[in-house]
């Protein structure tokens, strides 16, 4: 992965640190401009090299990135596509940039064609996320579903203002407004980022803005604060320094670390790596997890979101990637949790613009599909750094955006809304299992959700452990259906009340019966599998022991209602022939009566036959002495499946 990503409009230059070219290797003018974030100048220099035939493949990739950063998406898409055809240097993050470039040009068909070619190389979660969001945005015309009262903050500056955070009854944020003209960050042509605090007014506006005095003053970057009420501490990002001076890795890069400042107490450096930058800390008071974004080599694209376990802020684990349900080939930043919802920003290619804000439901074993918040919050520009809390009878939130009409490069926006942002969804998840034995899992079972008209809303297949997961926009009623080859079909309609309960449960297991587990071959025909049972001598009365066996037939018919049955009953050679015929016929009729009383349709039982002593299985015929055990071998009832050979055609 390359170290340059587009995160926000100006913010990306800060987020990914400052790279200073060192004299270890000779670099071209284009390289010098590129690594100093002077992308327009890099384009001009690289194009000269291209014309002279001296551009290396890596520099050509830098040129493609420079086109992308300067919004020349036509040339960016062409350059990325040429690199892709040569199968050199391109990784998932550059694929994301290429797809974004296609989306921002008139040649959107290339995006579709590329996705069709590469879909199997992307994580299945990414494709599910894309399909789900495309469906949502198309069906809702990119409407968020919420009625926002949105406003630009009066305290925005002509520079960069971003990363709002609640701090007691105040609002913290980051800004590039210059307090000291001598301390200037050249790539952004503004001051080094610093933390500011402001009072919150009843209308959501901010006032009385001043530098945040609870953290140590330095001459370099401090940004993206988050205040933990539980720890009474502020987490934030800062430049790596030593003895008041910036520190660099062997490649001349100054990365960003995460520190924690206890209000009125000590400062502690939590995450530091001279070659890796950390961004946007968020501390979850409930779990003690510290979330952040970083660009580790094992990520899924650009910056991914990770977390570490902590004890009162003390880090107790290695960083854990949130996985492909959240992270994509793009950049993910700015994690935030509010009422079991996980908010973050991403520039994944299927969004509305650059950075969009997404919401994923927090589940016991991970996250739901991240849902684009849609128009109102998101635009075709960069929208990121979302925070929200309960305020009075509604909700108050803030985020940053570089949308037109602002006062600076990135502005802070506030909003008021009556309900949680984001469309409400329904999640079905669990395992597909057999209902008997130890609940053996079933893989490759189709599981689908169906609407009231019979249309398929969503479909998936269970994995090797039987796990399935489906998520759809909220509806008041839905049918869950599942089946697999030679398995029964599960079908259940859920009411609105049941759907509400389901969202608060640990999951919903689907039970499918395997036909071959419930049948066996006897006497040259396929029958329902039962343990052998006996009527009392000369009796047609069922016993509890017989009922248990016949209930297996009921279970079979519930699983395979299209089966057609014949009930056959036999006896031994003792007694008169006509008496035995009558006795076995009455026993078959009694079995049918019981099955029908348990819900088996009478039309599914085509015949009931009593064979008497016509089909003796051993030598115990009339006049032959046999012990009781041998006689009992001839006393039997069979439930024959007449259409076994065509049942699964």
């Amino acid at each position: 992965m390359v170290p340059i990503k587009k995160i926000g409009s100006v913010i990306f230059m800060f987020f990914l640190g400052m790279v200073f070219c060192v004299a270890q290797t000779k670099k071209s003018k284009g390289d010098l401009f590129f690594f100093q974030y002077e992308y327009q100048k890099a384009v001009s220099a690289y194009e000269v090299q291209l014309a002279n035939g001296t551009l290396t493949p890596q520099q050509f990739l830098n040129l493609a990135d420079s086109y992308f950063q300067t919004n020349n998406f036509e040339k960016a898409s062409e350059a990325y596509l040429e690199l892709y055809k040569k199968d050199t240097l391109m990784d998932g993050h550059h694929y994301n940039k290429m797809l974004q470039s296609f989306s921002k040009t008139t040649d959107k068909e290339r995006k579709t064609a590329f996705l069709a070619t590469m879909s199997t190389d992307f994580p299945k979660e990414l494709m599910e996320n894309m399909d789900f969001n495309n469906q949502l945005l198309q069906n809702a015309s990119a409407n968020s579903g919420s009625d926002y009262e949105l406003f630009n903050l009066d305290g925005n500056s002509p520079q960069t203002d971003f990363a709002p955070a609640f701090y007691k009854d105040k609002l913290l944020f980051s800004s590039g407004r210059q307090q000291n003209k001598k301390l200037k960050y050249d790539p952004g042509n503004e001051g080094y980022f610093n933390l500011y605090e402001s009072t919150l007014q009843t209308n959501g506006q901010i006032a009385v803005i001043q530098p945040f005095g609870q953290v140590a003053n330095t001459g370099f970057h401090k940004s993206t604060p988050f205040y933990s009420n539980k720890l009474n501490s502020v987490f934030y990002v800062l430049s790596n320094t030593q003895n008041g001076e910036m520190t660099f890795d062997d490649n001349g890069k100054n990365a960003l670390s995460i520190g924690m400042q206890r209000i009125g107490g000590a400062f502690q450096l939590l995450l530091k790596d001279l070659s890796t930058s950390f961004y946007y800390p968020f501390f979850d008071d409930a779990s003690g997890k510290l979330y952040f974004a970083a660009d580790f080599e094992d990520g899924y694209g650009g910056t991914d979101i990770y977390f570490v376990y902590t004890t009162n802020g003390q880090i107790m684990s290695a960083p854990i990637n949130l996985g492909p349900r959240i992270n994509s080939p793009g950049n993910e930043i700015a994690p935030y949790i509010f009422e079991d919802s996980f908010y973050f920003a991403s520039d994944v290619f299927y969004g509305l613009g650059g950075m969009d804000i997404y919401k994923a439901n927090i589940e016991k074993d991970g996250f739901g599909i991240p849902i684009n918040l849609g128009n109102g919050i998101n635009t075709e520009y960069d929208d990121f750094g979302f925070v929200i809390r309960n305020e009075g009878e509604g909700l108050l939130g803030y985020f940053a955006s570089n949308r037109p009409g602002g006062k600076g490069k990135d502005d802070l926006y506030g909003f008021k809304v009556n309900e949680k942002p984001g469309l409400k969804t329904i999640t079905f998840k669990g395992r597909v299992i057999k209902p008997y034995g130890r609940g053996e899992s079933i893989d490759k079972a189709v599981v689908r959700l169906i609407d009231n008209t019979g249309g398929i809303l969503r479909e998936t297949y269970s994995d090797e452990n039987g796990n399935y997961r489906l998520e759809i926009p909220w509806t008041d009623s839905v049918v869950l259906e599942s089946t697999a080859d030679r398995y029964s079909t599960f079908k259940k309609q859920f009411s609105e009340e049941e759907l509400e309960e389901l969202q608060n449960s640990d999951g919903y297991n689907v039970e499918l019966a395997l036909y071959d587990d419930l049948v066996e071959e006897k006497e040259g025909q396929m029958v329902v599998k039962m343990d052998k049972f006996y009527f009392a001598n000369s009796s047609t009365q069922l016993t509890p022991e017989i009922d248990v066996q016949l209930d297996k037939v009921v279970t079979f018919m519930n699983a395979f209602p299209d089966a057609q049955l014949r009930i056959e009953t036999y006896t031994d050679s003792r007694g008169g022939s006509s008496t035995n015929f009558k006795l076995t016929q009455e026993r078959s009729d009694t079995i049918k009566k019981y099955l029908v009383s348990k819900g088996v349709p009478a039309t599914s039982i085509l015949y009931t036959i009593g064979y008497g002593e016509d089909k003796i299985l051993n030598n115990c015929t009339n006049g032959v002495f046999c012990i009781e055990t041998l006689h009992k071998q001839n006393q039997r009832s069979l439930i024959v499946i007449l259409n076994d050979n065509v049942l699964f055609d």
Side-chain angles (χ1 to χ4, degrees):
M1 290 178 287
V2 295
I4 307 300
K5 284 93 182 172
K6 184 177 181 182
I7 304 180
S9 56
V10 175
I11 308 304
F12 69 90
M13 295 182 289
F14 155 57
F15 279 154
L16 297 181
M18 295 183 296
V19 180
F20 290 83
C21 297
V22 294
Q24 295 176 348
T25 59
K26 186 177 180 180
K27 291 182 169 58
S28 71
K29 285 185 179 181
D31 293 335
L32 294 172
F33 290 132
F34 181 80
F35 289 115
Q36 291 176 7
Y37 309 109
E38 299 283 351
Y39 293 113
Q40 193 57 60
K41 293 180 180 179
V43 166
S44 298
Y46 281 141
E47 285 181 340
V48 171
Q49 285 184 254
L50 181 63
N52 294 334
T54 61
L55 201 67
T56 68
Q58 179 60 57
Q59 289 171 330
F60 189 58
L61 181 61
N62 294 348
L63 174 59
D65 286 342
S66 298
Y67 285 140
F68 185 85
Q69 299 291 1
T70 55
N71 298 329
N72 192 338
F73 299 114
E74 291 282 356
K75 288 190 175 181
S77 62
E78 293 294 337
Y80 286 132
L81 190 59
E82 184 173 341
L83 284 162
Y84 168 69
K85 290 177 180 178
K86 293 178 179 179
D87 195 26
T88 59
L89 300 178
M90 293 281 285
D91 57 15
H93 185 56
H94 287 99
Y95 293 149
N96 188 72
K97 287 184 178 180
M98 182 170 70
L99 290 167
Q100 282 184 295
S101 299
F102 291 155
S103 297
K104 294 176 182 292
T105 67
T106 57
D107 196 11
K108 295 181 175 60
E109 290 77 11
R110 280 187 174 179
K111 176 181 175 181
T112 303
F114 177 80
L115 282 171
T117 302
M118 292 295 297
S119 60
T120 56
D121 295 330
F122 287 135
K124 69 173 185 177
E125 292 87 350
L126 175 70
M127 305 310 293
E128 291 171 351
N129 292 355
M130 179 190 71
D131 291 341
F132 192 82
N133 277 274
N134 286 344
Q135 177 188 352
L136 274 182
L137 295 177
Q138 289 170 6
N139 291 348
S141 298
N143 190 342
S144 67
S146 299
D147 186 14
Y148 295 100
E149 178 190 338
L150 191 68
F151 49 92
N152 184 287
L153 296 193
D154 295 337
N156 284 313
S157 72
Q159 287 78 37
T160 299
D161 299 297
F162 65 106
F166 293 110
Y167 172 59
K168 300 180 180 179
D169 59 347
K170 298 182 178 181
L171 189 73
L172 299 181
F173 63 94
S174 309
S175 179
R177 61 190 70 193
Q178 285 185 256
Q179 297 294 312
N180 185 337
K181 292 185 178 180
K182 293 182 179 180
L183 296 176
K184 184 179 178 182
Y185 182 49
D186 287 335
N189 196 29
E190 55 188 347
Y192 281 92
F193 292 113
N194 199 6
L195 304 183
Y196 291 83
E197 64 176 303
S198 60
T199 58
L200 275 176
Q201 300 177 312
T202 55
N203 62 358
Q205 287 286 354
I206 59 175
V208 193
I209 301 171
Q210 59 186 3
F212 184 52
Q214 297 292 342
V215 299
N217 188 32
T218 69
F220 306 109
H221 286 306
K222 300 189 297 293
S223 189
T224 61
F226 175 77
Y227 172 69
S228 165
N229 185 65
K230 180 179 180 180
L231 300 182
N232 192 28
S233 300
V234 173
F235 297 82
Y236 64 101
V237 164
L238 65 160
S239 298
N240 285 333
T241 60
Q242 186 174 357
N243 299 323
E245 299 293 333
M246 280 191 174
T247 55
F248 304 90
D249 69 3
D250 292 340
N251 293 317
K253 177 180 178 179
N254 173 254
L256 302 165
S257 56
I258 291 178
M260 178 180 72
Q261 175 67 59
R262 296 190 184 275
I263 302 300
F267 169 81
Q268 184 177 359
L269 195 61
L270 299 180
L271 292 167
K272 178 179 180 179
D273 185 323
L274 289 182
S275 298
T276 302
S277 286
F278 302 91
Y279 332 110
Y280 270 106
F282 169 81
F283 184 79
D284 182 21
D285 284 349
S287 67
K289 294 178 181 178
L290 174 63
Y291 294 84
F292 58 90
D295 180 24
F296 292 126
E297 290 298 323
D298 64 348
Y300 290 89
T303 52
D304 282 4
I305 298 177
Y306 295 79
F307 75 87
V308 290
Y309 291 102
T310 76
T311 301
N312 294 325
Q314 300 286 332
I315 294 177
M316 304 299 291
S317 75
I320 299 171
N321 192 296
L322 294 194
R325 182 60 71 193
I326 296 296
N327 293 314
S328 77
N331 298 290
E332 280 69 46
I333 59 170
Y336 188 81
I337 293 175
F338 176 69
E339 293 184 350
D340 296 324
S341 292
F342 186 82
Y343 295 90
F344 65 99
S346 174
D347 65 357
V348 66
F349 60 85
Y350 54 75
L352 292 180
M355 276 279 165
D356 281 358
I357 298 166
Y358 291 81
K359 181 196 80 169
N361 295 328
I362 298 175
E363 300 175 352
K364 183 177 180 181
D365 53 353
F367 298 93
I369 291 176
I371 299 167
N372 192 301
L373 294 192
N375 286 329
I377 290 292
N378 291 321
T379 65
E380 61 180 297
Y381 300 92
D382 294 314
D383 307 288
F384 57 99
F386 179 96
V387 298
I388 190 171
R389 75 180 185 188
N390 292 303
E391 190 84 7
E393 296 181 356
L395 299 164
L396 173 68
Y398 298 90
F399 64 97
S401 177
N402 67 341
R403 64 188 63 187
K407 300 180 178 67
K409 298 176 180 178
D410 288 290
D411 274 15
L412 294 173
Y413 289 81
F415 65 88
K416 292 185 176 182
V417 69
N418 293 327
E419 57 186 10
K420 282 177 62 175
L423 296 172
K424 187 177 180 181
T425 64
I426 301 169
T427 301
F428 281 84
K429 61 178 181 176
R431 296 177 65 218
V432 183
I433 59 174
K434 293 181 179 181
Y436 39 80
R438 298 182 179 180
E440 179 184 349
S441 63
I442 303 170
D443 65 347
K444 299 179 182 178
V446 61
V447 187
R448 60 175 66 98
L449 295 174
I450 301 172
D451 63 21
N452 292 330
T453 66
I456 297 176
L457 299 172
R458 187 72 55 181
E459 183 177 275
T460 189
Y461 287 85
S462 58
D463 65 16
E464 63 274 11
N465 297 314
N467 297 310
Y468 79 94
R469 188 184 186 284
L470 293 163
E471 189 170 1
I472 59 171
W474 180 264
T475 182
D476 293 339
S477 177
V478 70
V479 174
L480 177 67
E481 183 179 273
S482 178
T483 190
D485 186 31
R486 296 189 70 81
Y487 279 86
S488 60
T489 296
F490 174 93
K491 194 169 186 178
K492 175 177 169 55
Q493 182 165 1
F494 288 80
S495 65
E496 183 175 4
E497 294 75 16
E498 290 173 319
L499 291 172
E500 291 283 3
E501 293 176 4
L502 182 68
Q503 304 317 297
N504 298 319
S505 69
D506 292 335
Y508 189 88
N509 289 343
V510 173
E511 296 182 342
L512 300 181
L514 177 60
Y515 181 79
D516 300 318
D517 287 343
L518 304 183
V519 302
E520 61 183 340
E521 187 175 349
K522 280 189 175 181
E523 301 180 31
Q525 50 193 354
M526 198 62 68
V527 302
V528 179
K529 188 183 294 184
M530 298 182 293
D531 295 336
K532 197 166 186 180
F533 58 83
Y534 301 99
F535 288 87
N537 287 338
S538 302
S539 174
T540 61
Q541 296 298 312
L542 301 179
T543 65
E545 290 76 19
I546 296 175
D547 291 347
V548 169
Q549 300 308 313
L550 294 182
D551 286 342
K552 295 179 181 179
V553 182
V554 176
T555 299
F556 171 81
M557 289 303 296
N558 288 337
F560 301 99
D562 292 333
Q564 298 174 348
L565 307 180
R566 179 174 65 227
I567 302 173
E568 301 178 353
T569 303
Y570 305 84
T571 188
D572 57 49
S573 62
R574 294 175 294 184
S577 176
S578 59
T579 300
N580 286 336
F581 271 119
K582 181 180 178 182
L583 178 65
T584 54
Q585 182 63 53
E586 290 178 354
R587 286 176 175 177
S588 288
D589 293 340
T590 299
I591 290 172
K592 177 180 179 178
K593 184 177 180 180
Y594 177 85
L595 296 178
V596 171
S597 72
K598 292 295 184 176
V600 176
T603 53
S604 295
I605 304 174
L606 302 188
Y607 307 100
T608 59
I609 301 177
Y611 283 98
E613 57 185 83
D614 271 4
K615 295 186 179 181
I616 300 297
L617 299 177
N618 51 30
N619 294 325
C620 297
T621 56
N622 288 331
V624 176
F625 174 78
C626 288
I627 61 174
E628 183 67 19
T629 301
L630 294 177
H631 276 303
K632 279 188 172 293
Q633 290 179 1
N634 296 310
Q635 299 175 21
R636 62 203 188 277
S637 291
L638 302 178
I639 311 298
V640 181
I641 305 161
L642 297 173
N643 58 341
D644 167 76
N645 60 331
V646 296
L647 195 56
F648 296 100
D649 288 349

